[in-house]
Amino acid sequence: MKAASSENVDLRAAGPPRRDWKRYTPTAIATGLAVVIAATLLQLPFDGLLAAVFDGAERLSVLRARDLPMAVVSYDDASGRRFGDPERIPVAALVATVEAIVREGPEAVLVLGPIDDRAYRPEELETLAAALTRHRNVYVGFTDDGALGRSVPGMASMAGRYLPAIVSKDTYSYGADSVTRRVFLAIEGFPTAYGAIACGGLESLSRWNRCLEENRAESRGASWQTFIDWRDVRASLARFPLVDVVDGAFPAQSFAGRYVLVGRSLSVPRDRDFVLTPLAKSRPTTSVLEAAAQGLGTLVLRQGVGTSPNYVIWFLTVVFAIVTTNVALKATPQRATLLAVLAFVLLVLLSSVSLLLFRRWVDVVHPAMAIVVGYYFVLPYRLFDEYQKRWHYQEKSEFMAELEELKSNFLSLISHDLKTPIARIQGAAERLIAEKAPPERVEKTLRSVVRTTEELTEYIEAILDLARVESGALPIHKASKDLNKTVEAVLDEKAPMAHEKGIAIDTDLEPLFAARYDEKLIRRVVANLVENAIKYSPPDTKIRIATREEGDVLRLAVTDEGRGIAPDEQERVFEKFYRSRTANTESVRGAGLGLYLVRYFVELHGGTVTLESNVGTGSTFTVSLPT
Ligand code: ADP
């Protein structure tokens, strides 16, 4: 009995049998999910976010700026007023400026601007080209891509020193916000003025390639570009108004050994002359000239910043996704959040180290998105899992409480129901020994001893049946029988018990075909129902027992005029050890096992037991057995 019930407990408490591989299922799910997340994220560019991160790093000046060996000579508003031309720099003024600079021995001079046949007449361009070609380190760069790939009359004689100097704007890539972040080294296979001055042009391919590598330049579309190492423009650039240079009103040695840019920065045609930079993204406050100086300065100092190779980004994204999803799945929410934050910090550190040591900025956006998405994707699974676990524990604790109740019920029943009859037998035997009673008293006492022993046997039998039922070791032997015969046999047996209480038993047994059932078990079913009807009915009432055959089913109904069973108890009375807690029941002996076994035995035959009852008027238990 004990072994049987503890086996029962283990089975229910442990839930369905666990297989070993199941332990790895969450890890596998999390890892699979992580790979899908990473693969999806890597398909998305997140250019805007990338730009924001880069701009942030620029503003924080992660890189230490060095002084630029640059000077800027600008055709500003004052110069425009002086020469009476707010659009174009007059050729004579331009030539005079370049001559003044060259006299000081600069490293290189770059004249920037709309210097083409749309701004100047052909003869003006010829004069300009002739004057400038005299110096081998003077270049002319056009900032408007309208001149790209076009032979501009007059400038042809400058050949390799009339080059594109277009200032790159992120119109489609990165922030798509027209901010100048990069500098062109080459466009469509031709070095730009910046590339030519800083890297010596394409004449020596090995030097050019080394310069690209040193500047971490990357090929995007048909161009080579590198991120400009922005610094505080105002602090590090030497600036001169063009008019002062023409007048010779500048300190000596202003241009010696420097890279000098000459060009227009009039405030009137603002849109054309000024650009947005990572340091000033909302208003164009930096002149094209200064942006060009920054770009050229970056290249001259070999300070170009590149991005990390794709495989690094893939690796980081996948690793961060896998780690985050697994952590989010297993760690406590606090720890998972802390680890996610740590992962962010680690990413930022990684990218700063890479920027400082290798001048490559790691794309932190994809791995960071992997952390966020990984974390939030796992949450629903996590909640579901927690819910399942809680549900399991709740079920287990409910079951334990039920078991506890059963145990205490059982113990009190055992102590009461086993001890009482034994005490009665003992009392009777002691009386017989002590008294010299007349033979009829002796017989009466012995009869009561026999009845008590029968009750005791029945009780023990019920418990043994329960043990067999629980351990699944209950054999069933079906044979063809007549249910009416079984009923009559039981009634013969129970007649004295009914008679004692003055209870009349009416029978209404319809002739039945033989059915196949286990006679011993069904006999216990009938006996239990009849016995209950007698036990729970007041004296001098009636019990009716009827059998019917309806199609494939035999029905046996036991109806009494007893106290009835309340609706909320009608299901519970079939539970193991359940006894109704009414005064009536307490005065009646029983283990609370009868109806449990009745239902069990009937269901073993594929049948059902139903109960209809009204408190005060009586109950009808109906057994349906398939033939
Ligand atoms: P026992 O009779 O040993 O207590 P049962 O499982 O046979 O156990 O019955 C469970 C409970 O159902 C009884 O304690 C009693 O309260 C109630 N019961 C059973 N049969 C009847 C009936 N015919 N009329 C009223 N109550 C009944």
Side-chain angles (χ1 to χ4, degrees):
M1 168 77 197
K2 224 176 167 189
S5 86
S6 76
E7 187 181 320
N8 199 18
V9 173
D10 281 355
L11 266 180
R12 282 187 59 178
R18 273 178 182 268
R19 275 185 214 107
D20 224 11
W21 54 263
K22 277 203 159 180
R23 270 196 299 147
Y24 302 106
T25 317
T27 313
I29 292 175
T31 308
L33 185 71
V35 171
V36 172
I37 291 172
T40 313
L41 288 177
L42 285 165
Q43 298 305 309
L44 306 171
F46 296 126
D47 266 12
L49 275 176
L50 283 177
V53 172
F54 177 75
D55 298 347
E58 278 298 315
R59 253 182 254 136
L60 288 172
S61 294
V62 176
L63 295 171
R64 276 265 48 84
R66 277 191 268 165
D67 270 349
L68 285 178
M70 321 290 292
V72 168
V73 175
S74 44
Y75 187 71
D76 54 4
D77 292 345
S79 310
R81 273 196 302 276
R82 161 80 170 276
F83 296 108
D85 195 338
E87 267 297 309
R88 323 164 320 142
I89 314 174
V91 168
L94 197 50
V95 172
T97 306
V98 172
E99 294 294 342
I101 296 167
V102 167
R103 267 197 297 277
E104 286 222 318
E107 198 62 45
V109 180
L110 172 59
V111 178
L112 282 181
I115 295 180
D116 57 28
D117 49 357
R118 285 171 298 183
Y120 296 92
R121 293 194 307 277
E123 53 278 20
E124 282 179 313
L125 289 174
E126 244 160 66
T127 316
L128 185 66
L132 300 187
T133 359
R134 278 208 299 278
H135 312 289
R136 54 150 206 94
N137 55 350
V138 175
Y139 295 77
V140 175
F142 50 89
T143 48
D144 174 5
D145 58 9
L148 198 65
R150 214 157 56 83
S151 167
V152 176
M155 295 314 282
S157 60
M158 282 201 78
R161 284 189 279 135
Y162 181 67
L163 293 166
I166 294 158
V167 171
S168 161
K169 285 178 186 171
D170 287 332
T171 318
Y172 304 108
S173 51
Y174 291 101
D177 47 8
S178 296
V179 166
T180 297
R181 292 189 177 85
R182 294 171 294 164
V183 54
F184 285 117
L185 280 109
I187 297 175
E188 285 174 4
F190 292 102
T192 58
Y194 314 116
I197 295 172
C199 306
L202 281 174
E203 276 137 48
S204 163
L205 257 186
S206 62
R207 189 169 57 199
W208 173 254
N209 284 333
R210 199 170 53 246
C211 183
L212 288 183
E213 176 46 40
E214 282 167 354
N215 271 303
R216 313 289 190 256
E218 286 163 310
S219 163
R220 262 217 178 194
S223 62
W224 283 89
Q225 303 195 43
T226 186
F227 283 88
I228 298 175
D229 167 21
W230 284 98
R231 59 205 72 213
D232 189 345
V233 184
R234 249 142 276 281
S236 61
L237 272 182
R239 288 179 192 75
F240 307 90
L242 188 135
V243 61
D244 288 358
V245 178
V246 173
D247 292 348
F250 57 92
Q253 298 297 303
S254 290
F255 305 115
R258 289 184 178 255
Y259 295 82
V260 187
L261 285 91
V262 182
R264 203 175 68 172
S265 69
L266 293 161
S267 60
V268 186
R270 225 185 151 84
D271 286 355
R272 263 185 294 151
D273 285 5
F274 289 80
V275 292
L276 300 169
T277 72
L279 308 177
K281 282 162 67 167
S282 50
R283 265 189 338 123
T285 50
T286 304
S287 68
V288 167
L289 208 56
E290 292 189 344
Q294 291 293 324
L296 180 59
T298 297
L299 299 183
V300 164
L301 295 174
R302 302 290 189 264
Q303 289 285 304
V305 177
T307 52
S308 48
N310 277 344
Y311 66 83
V312 173
I313 297 158
W314 292 344
F315 175 76
L316 288 178
T317 308
V318 170
V319 166
F320 275 98
I322 290 178
V323 171
T324 318
T325 45
N326 276 291
V327 164
L329 192 72
K330 284 165 202 158
T332 58
Q334 293 93 324
R335 205 172 286 176
T337 313
L338 188 72
L339 284 172
V341 172
L342 279 181
F344 272 116
V345 172
L346 182 69
L347 259 182
V348 171
L349 275 181
L350 249 173
S351 111
S352 308
V353 166
S354 156
L355 198 57
L356 288 171
L357 294 189
F358 310 111
R359 287 210 329 284
R360 290 204 177 273
W361 63 293
V362 176
D363 155 12
V364 291
V365 172
H366 284 94
M369 291 295 268
I371 295 174
V372 175
V373 177
Y375 190 76
Y376 281 99
F377 257 68
V378 168
L379 272 189
Y381 177 86
R382 186 71 205 256
L383 286 178
F384 175 72
D385 196 50
E386 300 270 291
Y387 175 78
Q388 231 184 3
K389 264 191 211 140
R390 210 168 324 140
W391 182 79
H392 186 71
Y393 286 133
Q394 198 174 326
E395 209 195 28
K396 192 170 159 182
S397 77
E398 271 169 21
F399 174 70
M400 295 307 278
E402 210 177 287
L403 193 74
E404 197 50 40
E405 197 188 320
L406 285 183
K407 206 171 79 184
S408 67
N409 274 359
F410 183 65
L411 285 179
S412 68
L413 279 170
I414 291 268
S415 54
H416 178 261
D417 292 318
L418 286 184
K419 266 168 75 187
T420 317
I422 290 173
R424 257 196 281 148
I425 295 170
Q426 191 182 4
E430 278 169 0
R431 267 203 313 280
L432 285 184
I433 294 168
E435 302 170 359
K436 278 267 167 264
E440 43 303 354
R441 272 286 295 282
V442 171
E443 197 196 319
K444 203 178 165 210
T445 310
L446 284 179
R447 269 189 207 291
S448 93
V449 166
V450 169
R451 211 168 39 244
T452 313
T453 336
E454 272 168 8
E455 257 171 40
L456 206 50
T457 311
E458 234 162 62
Y459 183 78
I460 290 169
E461 217 159 87
I463 289 188
L464 288 178
D465 274 343
L466 176 73
R468 278 194 286 266
V469 162
E470 302 272 85
S471 66
L474 186 78
I476 168 161
H477 305 289
K478 284 191 187 172
S480 227
K481 295 277 171 195
D482 179 354
L483 184 61
N484 287 341
K485 289 256 156 57
T486 308
V487 172
E488 276 158 7
V490 170
L491 291 184
D492 281 350
E493 197 183 294
K494 301 293 171 195
M497 189 180 171
H499 182 72
E500 225 171 79
K501 269 183 103 172
I503 289 175
I505 300 182
D506 278 359
T507 53
D508 172 13
L509 309 180
E510 199 179 73
L512 304 170
F513 282 113
R516 284 183 63 76
Y517 56 85
D518 184 316
E519 150 104 292
K520 209 174 141 214
L521 296 186
I522 296 303
R523 196 180 160 134
R524 286 186 57 68
V525 168
V526 182
N528 259 310
L529 293 178
V530 173
E531 209 179 288
N532 277 353
I534 301 169
K535 279 199 304 189
Y536 299 108
S537 294
D540 307 319
T541 50
K542 249 190 211 155
I543 293 174
R544 205 178 104 91
I545 296 170
T547 54
R548 292 273 178 279
E549 186 166 314
E550 288 168 20
D552 293 348
V553 180
L554 295 186
R555 286 200 213 286
L556 161 77
V558 179
T559 308
D560 63 44
E561 295 170 352
R563 60 175 174 95
I565 299 169
D568 61 324
E569 281 193 309
Q570 289 185 2
E571 210 23 61
R572 297 212 66 190
V573 291
F574 291 100
E575 285 172 13
K576 194 165 31 171
F577 297 122
Y578 184 81
R579 300 205 70 208
S580 172
R581 295 209 165 88
T582 57
N584 184 332
T585 297
E586 267 157 27
S587 64
V588 176
R589 258 192 307 284
L593 284 174
L595 289 178
Y596 172 77
L597 292 172
V598 163
R599 177 168 273 184
Y600 191 91
F601 293 157
V602 171
E603 285 178 356
L604 215 53
H605 285 80
T608 55
V609 183
T610 54
L611 162 62
E612 262 175 71
S613 181
N614 288 312
V615 178
T617 46
S619 320
T620 301
F621 286 87
T622 309
V623 173
S624 306
L625 281 178
T627 50

